[in-house]
Amino acid sequence: MGRPKNSLLPSHNNTNLGLAESSNGIRHHLVDHPSRDVENGEAGFLGSVFGFLRQFMSRGKIDGGSRSEAEEKVYSWLYALAKSNRDLVFEYVQSTERGLSFAEAERRLKENGPNAPLDNTFLSWWHLLWSAFFHPFNIILIVLSVLSYITSDNPNGCIMLVLVFISVSLRFYQEYSSSKAAMKLSEFVRCPIKVQRCAGRVVQTELVVQVDQKDIVPGDIVIFEPGDLFPGDVRLLSSTHLVVSQASLTGESVTTEKTADIQEDDSTPLLDLRNICFMGTNVVSGCGTGLVVSTGSKTYMSTVFSSLGKQKPPNDFEKGVRRISYVLVGVMLVVVTIIILTVFLTSRNLSESFLFGISVACALTPQMLPLIVNTCLAKGALAMAKDRCVVKSLTAIRDMGSMDILCIDKTGTLTMNQAIMVDHLDSWGTQREEVLRFAFLNSYFKMEQKYPLDDAILAHVYTNGFRFQPSKWAKVNEIPFDFIRRRVSVIIETESAATGRNKKSLERFMVTKGALEEVLKVCSYIDSFDNGGIIPFSFEECQRILNLSEEISNEGLRIIGVAIKKIAMSDMVFLGLITFYDPPKDTAKQALWRLAEKGVKAKVLTGDSLSLAIKVCREVGIRTTHVITGPELELMDQESFHETVHRATVLARLTPSQKLRVVQSLQMVGNHIVGFLGDGINDSLALDAANVGISVDSGASVAKDLSDIILLEKDLNVLVTGVERGRATFGNTMKYIKLSVIANVGSVLSLLIATLFLQFEPLTPRQLLAQNFLYSIGQIAIPWDKMEEDYIKKPQKWSQKDLPIFILWNGPLCTLCDVATLMFLWFYYNADQVSQDVFFRSGWFIEGLLMQTLIIHLIRTEKIPFIQEVAAWPVILSTVVISSIGIAIQFTIIGSVMGFGTVPLSYFGFLVVLFLGYFTIGQVIKRLYILVYKRWL
């Protein structure tokens, strides 16, 4: 391992004493203030103003088309170091080849703070609680609850407070759990680090000390060996056969060779820079020294994962519910004010007028919305639990109903995540049993570090009836696999043909298999099976074999080389190739077809090679006409990026930040509801940003913490069921919202009209609250309603236009029926006088309750209710029970106490005619709405 030099560079005299004032100066000018700002005329105060305006206008509009400002700084900084020579790197970081002094390291630690992987500026629990509490419906319910207690209506006030508590508790729990997930990343950097520091005032002495990772600072020289984690972003100073695993960033098991003796250029992708090692990655083999250039929140890993645990912006559904809330608040303030003034002018009783106004406000508020929504979601979660899914975020059930794009990782999701041996070929691509025989003997006698490829070879031989008789061979020795040689060799012996009558001799062979390039390097001959001999291994033969391997690799197969030599001989003979494949799951093609049938398009986002991803996608039915790789995406401008992401179905060699940008582009620019299925740390960003994050039980802890749904089995058919249940949940939730807005607004407008024309209140506050309570209880059955098959077949999204148009088409009909009842009671029964107020209120109560109860059957389907489509039995039962209670209460003692009287049978005849007319006209309006708006407009 290369040791740092003992002499100082000329520019680094006085060790660290002169570095205090400018420890970050070069980085500040190189990265934080690039010269292009001055060239664009944005220097000084005016530039600051323009910069502020740009940030303000773009706040919240993360479309994924470009890297964030923080990412750009990290990229610029790391590329500057990768392109620079050794001396300039020390100058950039303001360090020396002897390392930092203890005093300077302590000063930098105070300046930069602890080396934590993330800047943990997450919202505190009370912030999250306030956010969950501050919702328009919650505020309305609390205000009405307080007013109910003031007016001695304790039962109604208690019910509203319970509903608020349920809603706030569920939302707070979900957001608090999500905010803690990012802390899991700190597990990857908790270990002592070997650091080279210098001590002494006159004579500088180099010391190697162990420092906790949180105390590492920029400018430290770290010493690493196999198994060590990099405590920050590191520029290599020396390296010996260094192999690094970047699985924590890429999710792929393929290792990467790193070397200090190179200067990179801008064409190399960031994670492929060979002289830069990243925080959180680890050494597989080899050793070396490196200069820490970034720590804490300024590292690549921290910058990329900095968005984890942050609050997600509200989706279209949540925005839509808020808009409805504000509209209802506005209507409530206007209508209630008018009603209070009208009643006061009639009765001259302020307290009575105020109490009636509160009752009207309660009637207008969809009090059961939090309970209905959460019941719908909980019912969907319980149903998915039967399909071996753990639902962590209830809102994910609803979002699955709106999901129209599912981004999935190839490994273990589309494929079985295990190697299957495909073929055994000689150097010309012809199948040769001899190649398989020696590959089998190598795997059979290999004892150390058994790999899946060995199991695949053994399984292929046993299941296909080959008889290679390993009992006739004996193992002599083994040279195990390592990441420098990248091959494994076993020495075996067997009896040779007898040279005499009673003479026996043993022949020894070295059988080697491993990475094709490494096996070819040690071969001098090629076995020519057709000629029964061997031929020299020339440059042309090597190129021909490499071209053959490239053709096979382009088909998505993995390749290893096999070679042998007799111990008596000195040269290795190349036998051929063994090919492997990770086959797609039997259920993957069927599941993807079912998802496509339901309007969910699949996109593969993987860190694997493009050729392998294409082969798998073709076998499972995913179109591969538009494919792209991560390095190609990096070279695109925003417009091209968004267009490419929209068209591409296979995106390979993606980094974690690129997966995040793809998801954000689909969400913000494509206006899609995106699901993401991943199980690795590299998937954390995309899981957190997706509308529906899906992981598996065997996934990384961070991935599971950030996911909304955890699959106990890696089977896409489970997601098909989840999509169906999500759409049913979304549909039932929308039923209640439509029902509440139409029925409540229609009822309140009818009350306003009746109040303006009558000499008394159409209903007393107690009667109005009783009607509202019975109606609300009846709607609890909505989550158990069924949805039509046509509704389940396509993604369902909140539309800013559909709901208002639907209300305008259907809302006036309820008010029209109420007004017809008012006219009938007025002119037929002469019930407009104060002396007839008991009879009027009894009739108005029954009609209003039946109207609100029956309206669900009209709006729940586009077909003819009760004839072409019948609701689920819980909804039917609820309608019958609530309607019966509303009618029967008139003839009980409770009805007398509440101020009700009996109504004649002729009135019920009128109600039959009224509701037949309501359903007939409603069906006509519904068909016109479907024909004119949904099909033409």
Side-chain angles (χ1 to χ4, degrees):
M1 179 177 65
R3 293 277 298 167
K5 297 178 182 179
N6 293 331
S7 60
L8 297 177
L9 292 173
S11 59
H12 297 145
N13 290 331
N14 299 324
T15 314
N16 306 116
L17 299 179
L19 304 181
E21 297 180 359
S22 59
S23 62
N24 289 320
I26 295 180
R27 174 173 179 159
H28 180 73
H29 292 289
L30 178 67
V31 178
D32 295 350
H33 296 283
S35 58
R36 60 177 178 269
D37 289 345
V38 179
E39 293 172 0
N40 291 338
E42 294 186 1
F45 175 77
L46 187 59
S48 301
V49 173
F50 286 153
F52 172 78
L53 290 176
R54 279 199 305 269
Q55 291 181 8
F56 180 79
M57 294 299 292
S58 62
R59 185 175 299 170
K61 298 180 180 178
I62 305 175
D63 58 14
S66 59
R67 292 189 290 262
S68 66
E69 183 179 353
E71 285 183 280
E72 285 291 352
K73 289 181 179 181
V74 170
Y75 272 63
S76 300
W77 176 239
L78 292 178
Y79 271 110
L81 295 166
K83 294 186 292 184
S84 303
N85 59 41
R86 181 189 178 98
D87 294 342
L88 192 56
V89 168
F90 280 109
E91 182 70 26
Y92 281 162
V93 187
Q94 295 291 288
S95 185
T96 70
E97 294 191 6
R98 288 182 174 175
L100 299 175
S101 68
F102 288 92
E104 174 63 14
E106 185 176 353
R107 188 197 67 79
R108 294 193 181 190
L109 183 61
K110 292 180 180 178
E111 178 183 321
N112 295 287
N115 181 27
L118 292 175
D119 184 11
N120 301 318
T121 56
F122 304 114
L123 293 176
S124 60
W125 67 267
W126 60 271
H127 274 107
L128 296 174
L129 182 60
W130 173 254
S131 175
F133 170 80
F134 194 76
H135 187 278
F137 276 141
N138 292 335
I139 302 301
I140 293 171
L141 290 175
I142 289 173
V143 171
L144 294 177
S145 176
V146 172
L147 294 176
S148 296
Y149 279 112
I150 292 174
T151 56
S152 301
D153 185 16
N154 297 337
N156 199 51
C158 182
I159 290 172
M160 288 185 280
L161 286 181
V162 170
L163 294 174
V164 171
F165 176 78
I166 293 173
S167 176
V168 172
S169 298
L170 287 172
R171 189 175 178 191
F172 169 73
Y173 173 76
Q174 293 167 8
E175 294 184 357
Y176 182 69
S177 300
S178 175
S179 68
K180 296 190 303 181
M183 299 301 296
K184 294 287 184 180
L185 288 171
S186 61
E187 297 173 1
F188 294 93
V189 288
R190 290 179 180 172
C191 58
I193 307 297
K194 289 182 181 179
V195 178
Q196 178 179 295
R197 297 264 173 91
C198 60
R201 295 185 177 180
V202 180
V203 179
Q204 297 290 315
T205 304
E206 299 174 9
L207 299 175
V208 176
V209 294
Q210 283 199 339
V211 177
D212 193 273
Q213 59 85 21
K214 69 177 186 299
D215 297 327
I216 298 293
V217 297
D220 268 333
I221 295 176
V222 294
I223 302 168
F224 45 83
E225 52 194 23
D228 288 346
L229 288 165
F230 289 99
D233 291 342
V234 173
R235 169 59 158 88
L236 293 178
L237 300 176
S238 64
S239 61
T240 304
H241 303 302
L242 182 62
V243 178
V244 172
S245 171
Q246 297 184 158
S248 59
L249 297 178
T250 64
E252 306 306 323
S253 58
V254 179
T255 55
T256 304
E257 294 183 7
K258 300 283 186 177
T259 179
D261 303 325
I262 192 172
Q263 288 179 234
E264 295 282 8
D265 54 49
D266 291 327
S267 63
T268 306
L270 183 71
L271 293 181
D272 292 341
L273 295 174
R274 286 170 291 175
N275 56 7
I276 298 291
C277 296
F278 301 93
M279 174 186 248
T281 61
N282 64 285
V283 180
V284 175
S285 63
C287 56
T289 61
L291 182 65
V292 178
V293 297
S294 299
T295 59
S297 60
K298 295 181 180 180
T299 60
Y300 171 78
M301 172 179 162
S302 297
T303 304
V304 168
F305 290 100
S306 61
S307 64
L308 293 182
K310 307 300 181 184
Q311 255 186 315
K312 295 182 181 180
N315 56 29
D316 290 342
F317 184 89
E318 293 167 340
K319 291 178 182 177
V321 172
R322 283 185 179 273
R323 290 192 191 101
I324 291 177
S325 305
Y326 295 136
V327 170
L328 289 180
V329 170
V331 173
M332 179 192 302
L333 292 175
V334 173
V335 173
V336 171
T337 301
I338 295 174
I339 287 178
I340 290 176
L341 291 175
T342 303
V343 174
F344 175 72
L345 292 175
T346 304
S347 65
R348 298 295 178 177
N349 188 328
L350 182 60
S351 61
E352 183 181 342
S353 304
F354 191 67
L355 181 59
F356 184 70
I358 294 174
S359 303
V360 173
C362 290
L364 183 59
T365 304
Q367 302 169 8
M368 303 299 287
L369 179 61
L371 182 62
I372 295 294
V373 170
N374 290 320
T375 302
C376 286
L377 297 176
K379 182 177 177 294
L382 290 174
M384 289 193 67
K386 296 178 181 178
D387 297 322
R388 297 184 60 75
C389 294
V390 178
V391 179
K392 294 177 56 189
S393 173
L394 290 179
T395 56
I397 301 292
R398 181 190 62 226
D399 290 337
M400 284 194 76
S402 305
M403 183 175 70
D404 55 352
I405 287 184
L406 176 63
C407 299
I408 54 181
D409 185 16
K410 175 191 68 64
T411 305
T413 304
L414 294 178
T415 63
M416 299 175 66
N417 200 21
Q418 65 182 42
I420 302 294
M421 184 183 151
V422 177
D423 216 339
H424 41 282
L425 309 173
D426 65 11
S427 302
W428 289 267
T430 304
Q431 193 175 83
R432 299 290 181 182
E433 187 174 310
E434 193 75 0
V435 179
L436 177 60
R437 180 162 75 102
F438 281 101
F440 165 79
L441 293 173
N442 179 286
S443 297
Y444 183 87
F445 287 107
K446 173 187 172 186
M447 300 303 296
E448 297 186 22
Q449 297 177 320
K450 283 281 186 181
Y451 287 104
L453 297 186
D454 296 306
D455 296 333
I457 293 172
L458 297 175
H460 182 82
V461 170
Y462 293 142
T463 57
N464 287 276
F466 291 100
R467 299 183 180 277
F468 293 138
Q469 299 179 312
S471 59
K472 292 186 177 181
W473 295 79
K475 177 182 175 182
V476 178
N477 203 351
E478 176 180 351
I479 305 174
F481 178 89
D482 62 66
F483 285 95
I484 298 173
R485 296 174 65 248
R486 296 171 64 198
R487 59 184 185 271
V488 58
S489 301
V490 294
I491 299 175
I492 53 178
E493 63 183 12
T494 186
E495 292 183 1
S496 64
T499 55
R501 187 171 183 179
N502 296 318
K503 293 182 180 180
K504 293 183 179 180
S505 63
L506 296 175
E507 282 187 316
R508 289 188 174 181
F509 294 85
M510 175 182 284
V511 184
T512 299
K513 77 175 190 303
L516 179 62
E517 296 83 357
E518 300 301 326
V519 173
L520 290 175
K521 286 180 183 178
V522 296
C523 291
S524 302
Y525 296 94
I526 298 175
D527 197 324
S528 178
F529 292 95
D530 291 333
N531 299 328
I534 58 175
I535 59 175
F537 187 79
S538 63
F539 175 77
E540 291 76 13
E541 294 294 334
C542 180
Q543 285 300 119
R544 182 179 56 76
I545 295 173
L546 291 176
N547 291 338
L548 174 64
S549 69
E550 184 176 356
E551 293 177 7
I552 296 174
S553 297
N554 288 337
E555 296 177 2
L557 300 179
R558 186 175 177 181
I559 301 170
I560 62 171
V562 181
I564 65 167
K565 78 169 182 177
K566 289 185 178 181
I567 297 301
M569 300 173 57
S570 59
D571 296 317
M572 188 78 77
V573 179
F574 183 76
L575 292 181
L577 313 170
I578 302 292
T579 62
F580 302 88
Y581 181 45
D582 184 5
K585 292 179 178 177
D586 297 334
T587 60
K589 187 171 185 178
Q590 177 193 15
L592 290 172
W593 179 80
R594 291 176 63 193
L595 285 171
E597 197 177 39
K598 288 177 169 48
V600 181
K601 298 179 181 178
K603 289 180 180 287
V604 173
L605 277 59
T606 180
D608 278 341
S609 66
L610 182 61
S611 58
L612 183 57
I614 289 176
K615 178 175 177 60
V616 174
C617 290
R618 284 175 178 169
E619 294 201 9
V620 298
I622 297 178
R623 296 179 61 185
T624 57
T625 51
H626 297 97
V627 298
I628 196 70
T629 64
E632 292 171 332
L633 286 176
E634 284 294 322
L635 303 177
M636 296 181 179
D637 56 32
Q638 286 198 42
E639 185 176 350
S640 300
F641 179 91
H642 295 313
E643 183 181 350
T644 302
V645 166
H646 177 73
R647 288 188 295 109
T649 53
V650 181
L651 299 94
R653 296 182 61 198
L654 297 182
T655 64
S657 59
Q658 287 173 336
K659 290 183 179 181
L660 170 65
R661 291 170 58 199
V662 169
V663 170
Q664 290 175 337
S665 175
L666 293 171
Q667 289 173 322
M668 302 303 296
V669 180
N671 196 29
H672 295 288
I673 303 298
V674 181
F676 187 91
L677 175 56
D679 56 3
I681 301 168
N682 60 308
D683 297 321
S684 300
L685 287 172
L687 282 169
D688 193 44
N691 300 95
V692 185
I694 308 166
S695 189
V696 293
D697 189 42
S698 59
S701 59
V702 176
K704 290 190 290 185
D705 285 341
L706 290 169
S707 62
D708 302 306
I709 296 174
I710 298 177
L711 306 182
L712 300 182
E713 296 178 358
K714 281 188 177 182
D715 188 351
L716 290 181
N717 280 301
V718 176
L719 294 182
V720 179
T721 305
V723 167
E724 294 173 346
R725 299 194 189 282
R727 291 176 185 175
T729 299
F730 186 91
N732 285 331
T733 305
M734 290 303 300
K735 286 177 190 176
Y736 177 77
I737 292 175
K738 291 178 179 179
L739 171 65
S740 297
V741 175
I742 292 175
N744 291 11
V745 173
S747 175
V748 170
L749 289 178
S750 302
L751 283 170
L752 176 60
I753 295 171
T755 304
L756 292 174
F757 285 95
L758 294 175
Q759 302 176 24
F760 52 86
E761 298 169 352
L763 289 174
T764 65
R766 185 176 297 177
Q767 291 169 346
L768 184 56
L769 291 173
Q771 185 189 68
N772 186 56
F773 176 75
L774 288 173
Y775 157 70
S776 298
I777 293 297
Q779 308 316 311
I780 294 178
I782 289 179
W784 282 267
D785 194 15
K786 59 184 180 180
M787 298 300 304
E788 299 176 15
E789 292 185 5
D790 291 341
Y791 189 90
I792 300 294
K793 287 182 179 179
K794 56 185 178 181
Q796 302 297 329
K797 297 182 181 180
W798 181 281
S799 174
Q800 296 183 15
K801 296 180 179 179
D802 282 354
L803 186 60
I805 295 296
F806 182 87
I807 294 171
L808 289 176
W809 276 81
N810 296 273
L813 184 58
C814 295
T815 303
L816 181 62
C817 290
D818 290 340
V819 172
T821 303
L822 171 65
M823 302 297 289
F824 182 77
L825 290 170
W826 189 335
F827 291 104
Y828 188 81
Y829 292 110
N830 296 319
D832 60 320
Q833 302 299 318
V834 176
S835 60
Q836 296 290 323
D837 60 347
V838 173
F839 169 69
F840 181 92
R841 288 166 180 164
S842 301
W844 185 272
F845 178 90
I846 294 175
E847 185 274 337
L849 181 62
L850 293 179
M851 173 63 68
Q852 292 179 328
T853 305
L854 292 173
I855 190 176
I856 181 62
H857 297 278
L858 183 65
I859 68 172
R860 64 172 297 278
T861 177
E862 294 182 352
K863 300 177 182 178
I864 301 175
F866 302 113
I867 298 176
Q868 293 179 324
E869 175 68 15
V870 180
W873 71 263
V875 178
I876 296 289
L877 181 63
S878 172
T879 301
V880 173
V881 170
I882 297 301
S883 300
S884 300
I885 292 174
I887 295 173
I889 199 174
Q890 308 278 331
F891 308 98
T892 63
I893 298 176
I894 297 176
S896 300
V897 172
M898 295 182 65
F900 289 126
T902 58
V903 293
L905 291 176
S906 58
Y907 180 69
F908 289 101
F910 163 77
L911 291 180
V912 171
V913 175
L914 177 71
F915 289 124
L916 285 175
Y918 167 75
F919 278 105
T920 302
I921 299 173
Q923 193 65 27
V924 172
I925 291 176
K926 185 163 53 178
R927 300 311 301 174
L928 288 173
Y929 165 75
I930 295 171
L931 180 65
V932 176
Y933 176 71
K934 297 189 75 173
R935 294 187 180 177
W936 290 357
L937 301 180

